[in-house]
Amino acid sequence: MRPDQPAADGYADRMADTPPGSPPPSPPPVPADPSTGEAPRMPARSKVWRFLALAGVALFIAGCAAFMVFKLGQSLGLQALLIGVVAAILPVPVLVACFLWLDRYEPEPLKYLIFCFAWGAFVATAASLTVNEFAAGRFADWGLPAALTGVLVAPFIEELTKALGPILLLVFRRREWSGITDGLVYCGLSAVGFAMVENILYLGGYGYAAGADRYGPATGTQQVIAIFIVRILLFGFAHPLFTSMTGVGLGVAARTADRRVRVLAPVAGLLLAMMLHGTWNLLPTLTQATGEAVIMLYGFLGLMVPVFFAMVGLAVWLRAWEGRLTERTLPDYVRAGWLTPPEVAALSSLGRRHAARSWARRVAGDAGLRAMRGYQFAATRLALLRDGTLRGLDRKPADQERSAREERELLEAITAYRSFFVGRDPQAPAGVWDGSRYHLRFPDGTQRAVDAPDEPVVPIPVVLTPAPPAPPVGHAPPGWPGLRPAGPWTPGQP
């Protein structure tokens, strides 16, 4: 079994095999008082320059938002603008909830999610509107059809600007990317924001304003409803689907050590998004030019629907794969004595994670619930960090040292979170995990060593035996696999 491969059946028993020379487990946690109502937190590392950068980005996005409000208000009028805003916002919570559902195992920081949504809603729309208007004017001067803007220019500039926000995150916050799932979430939210503002133009301008100016408010309202059904209920997945192609490329680039793949994967995803978007815009143009409605029907059913369901299937599979990542990487820490087999098993699915949170709340109250949530988040981050190390993502010594420091901080945080609920369940036997076997104390006072079962009992809170003081940051303890690229590994190898 290799740490970077899925664990087969009975993995818990193999996790219980501690190779010779492995370090002793972590020290036993000091019980915390849940009555304080405070769960331990990860150390904050905010800096002044980060605050200034965040403020600059916020001001830039706010400026683009003001520009879009001015442009839309000038074009539509106040009444049509308000109607368009209300109608365009209605589907947003549903679409956002779908992407957040994908991100349940390792939720991304809220500020980055808001950044991507706001970037797509204001920065991408402001840039795209400006470029599209300029291109439409040039095509008109040259005597070319205005429809060429939607086929040749809009796919290029819209997909590029929607992806630019997530690309900036990948460049400056690469460690926040756990893979393709994060790419789908970041790019999907950017596309949802873009579609929301674009729908304001269609619903308020082409819908209400156009109908009300010609036939009155009743006709305007009818057109808003018709456009809402066609553009949002039937085709509302279009923009997120296009940009998800870029998200796949960015996610692949985030988890590979090959520099060529880091460049080629995002470029390939972006080009695919542009081609898919251009094809989508070409369908109604051909339908209108030829008068054959079957072109739109065949394009929708024969191309877009299969691509949509294929992407949904990929997203669901990736979500489950991310959940199983803990089974592939955290056994290293079981063998080193930092975790127990049941703890790894309790992280392998959302159902088990929910059961663990319910148990923590029962034995330690609300503080225990918050501690379990923090524990699960820290453990998932640890698995991602270990996976990145095995993939060789950290090439520079500074990055390797940072990973070693983060690994130590996460292990210490896990120990602190564990102290909120370990040993507090009167229904569970008192036990100690020594890295290979349980030492359980039974009601008659006897104490016996018990091998780890093939299917761990979840949860079973046990205490870990003491370990020597933590080594300096950047230096692995004796016998520990350490921070190194993935390579052949067999049981019994330290």
Side-chain angles (χ1 to χ4, degrees):
M1 169 182 164
R2 290 179 53 178
D4 58 341
Q5 293 179 338
D9 294 337
Y11 75 95
D13 189 43
R14 287 190 294 277
M15 286 194 299
D17 296 333
T18 305
S22 64
S26 61
V30 178
D33 185 6
S35 62
T36 60
E38 297 182 357
R41 297 181 179 180
M42 293 292 293
R45 293 181 290 181
S46 59
K47 295 181 180 180
V48 175
W49 70 268
R50 291 183 180 178
F51 173 78
L52 295 177
L54 181 61
V57 171
L59 289 175
F60 176 68
I61 294 177
C64 293
F67 172 79
M68 288 303 300
V69 171
F70 171 77
K71 291 286 291 185
L72 292 176
Q74 187 181 46
S75 174
L76 306 180
L78 180 60
Q79 186 177 24
L81 176 62
L82 294 177
I83 292 176
V85 168
V86 172
I89 288 178
L90 290 178
V92 171
V94 177
L95 293 174
V96 171
C98 291
F99 287 105
L100 295 182
W101 176 81
L102 287 177
D103 204 29
R104 289 279 301 278
Y105 279 103
E106 198 258 330
E108 302 308 317
L110 181 61
K111 59 183 179 181
Y112 296 146
L113 300 178
I114 294 176
F115 165 77
C116 287
F117 181 86
W119 183 277
F122 304 119
V123 179
T125 53
S128 299
L129 179 63
T130 303
V131 173
N132 288 338
E133 287 183 346
F134 176 81
R138 299 292 73 77
F139 286 147
D141 294 341
W142 300 334
L144 298 175
L148 290 179
T149 303
V151 177
L152 300 179
V153 179
F156 171 80
I157 187 61
E158 291 179 8
E159 292 307 320
L160 180 62
T161 52
K162 282 187 292 182
L164 186 56
I167 289 174
L168 291 175
L169 273 184
L170 179 61
V171 172
F172 294 103
R173 291 291 183 270
R174 184 167 173 268
R175 301 178 75 90
E176 295 296 336
W177 286 68
S178 60
I180 299 178
T181 300
D182 285 357
L184 294 176
V185 171
Y186 287 139
C187 289
L189 290 179
S190 179
V192 170
F194 184 95
M196 179 189 71
V197 176
E198 189 180 59
N199 287 334
I200 294 175
L201 176 62
Y202 279 87
L203 294 167
Y206 303 141
Y208 183 81
D213 290 344
R214 297 181 63 182
Y215 304 108
T219 302
T221 302
Q222 291 177 355
Q223 291 191 183
V224 169
I225 296 174
I227 293 177
F228 185 91
I229 293 174
V230 174
R231 182 170 180 84
I232 294 180
L233 296 185
L234 294 181
F235 305 141
F237 64 86
H239 274 292
L241 177 62
F242 305 150
T243 315
S244 66
M245 304 300 167
T246 308
V248 172
L250 293 176
V252 171
R255 303 301 290 180
T256 181
D258 192 325
R259 293 184 178 181
R260 294 168 298 180
V261 176
R262 289 184 181 181
V263 175
L264 294 178
V267 172
L270 183 59
L271 291 177
L272 184 59
M274 292 176 179
M275 289 188 292
L276 193 62
H277 194 162
T279 303
W280 176 253
N281 289 353
L282 180 63
L283 293 176
T285 302
L286 291 178
T287 300
Q288 185 177 5
T290 61
E292 297 290 341
V294 71
I295 295 178
M296 188 68 188
L297 180 63
Y298 285 166
F300 178 69
L301 296 179
L303 177 62
M304 294 301 166
V305 171
V307 172
F308 170 75
F309 282 107
M311 186 57 61
V312 170
L314 175 64
V316 173
W317 180 83
L318 287 171
R319 184 177 185 262
W321 180 91
E322 188 174 271
R324 294 190 299 270
L325 179 64
T326 55
E327 292 185 0
R328 296 191 296 272
T329 57
L330 292 185
D332 286 352
Y333 297 94
V334 172
R335 286 184 287 267
W338 285 98
L339 298 172
T340 65
E343 289 179 302
V344 177
L347 295 165
S348 61
S349 69
L350 289 176
R352 288 186 171 185
R353 292 188 179 211
H354 177 73
R357 289 195 296 270
S358 300
W359 169 82
R361 185 171 189 175
R362 177 174 62 83
V363 300
D366 292 337
L369 174 62
R370 290 192 294 270
M372 179 60 77
R373 285 174 176 168
Y375 170 89
Q376 292 173 345
F377 177 79
T380 304
R381 292 285 297 180
L382 182 64
L384 290 169
L385 182 67
R386 183 67 176 169
D387 179 69
T389 299
L390 295 172
R391 292 174 182 269
L393 300 184
D394 298 323
R395 293 180 175 271
K396 299 179 180 179
D399 293 335
Q400 295 175 0
E401 183 177 353
R402 181 179 179 182
S403 293
R405 183 183 300 109
E406 186 176 353
E407 179 187 47
R408 177 62 62 179
E409 291 173 354
L410 288 169
L411 288 170
E412 292 174 351
I414 288 173
T415 300
Y417 285 126
R418 185 192 287 118
S419 67
F420 270 67
F421 37 78
V422 164
R424 296 186 180 276
D425 189 355
Q427 300 178 9
V432 173
W433 172 257
D434 66 1
S436 60
R437 307 178 77 189
Y438 295 106
H439 299 269
L440 302 180
R441 179 170 297 172
F442 293 88
D444 60 359
T446 60
Q447 182 171 328
R448 292 195 296 269
V450 178
D451 293 332
D454 292 337
E455 293 293 332
V457 179
V458 180
I460 175 171
V462 297
V463 179
L464 301 177
T465 55
V473 172
H475 299 277
W480 174 241
L483 296 171
R484 64 188 182 212
W489 184 92
T490 54
Q493 176 182 346

